[in-house]
Amino acid sequence: AGDPAVLAVRDHGRGVDPAEVDHIFDRFVRGGQSRERAGSGLGLAIVRQVAHAHGGTVSVETPSDGGARFILTLPGAAAPDA
């Protein structure tokens, strides 16, 4: 198998409340700060489901200077024989 692929997305918005970090990838969960906007709370749950279906993971970090950093990791594939 090859090296894993890692995609990190960082924003400098409101971030994720540390009290909600353990639940933001659950279906129909909407953080306190996002309840005023439209949405069903499925987006991050779908990301986690797709990541797991491909043998990967998704996580979130809450940087000390604000915002959020989401990390998607997918396993690497073996290089095809030439």
Side-chain angles (χ1 to χ4, degrees):
D3 293 332
V6 179
L7 172 67
V9 177
R10 170 75 196 270
D11 73 34
H12 296 278
R14 296 185 211 172
V16 178
D17 183 338
E20 297 173 345
V21 166
D22 290 338
H23 302 287
I24 64 167
F25 295 102
D26 295 343
R27 290 185 305 163
F28 306 113
V29 169
R30 300 190 62 217
Q33 298 174 1
S34 66
R35 290 189 187 117
E36 66 224 24
R37 292 178 278 166
S40 61
L42 289 174
L44 292 175
I46 292 169
V47 170
R48 180 179 65 182
Q49 183 176 2
V50 171
H52 287 180
H54 292 280
T57 62
V58 64
S59 61
V60 64
E61 296 174 348
T62 55
S64 61
D65 61 345
R69 183 172 184 246
F70 289 86
I71 301 116
L72 172 66
T73 304
L74 298 171
D81 292 335

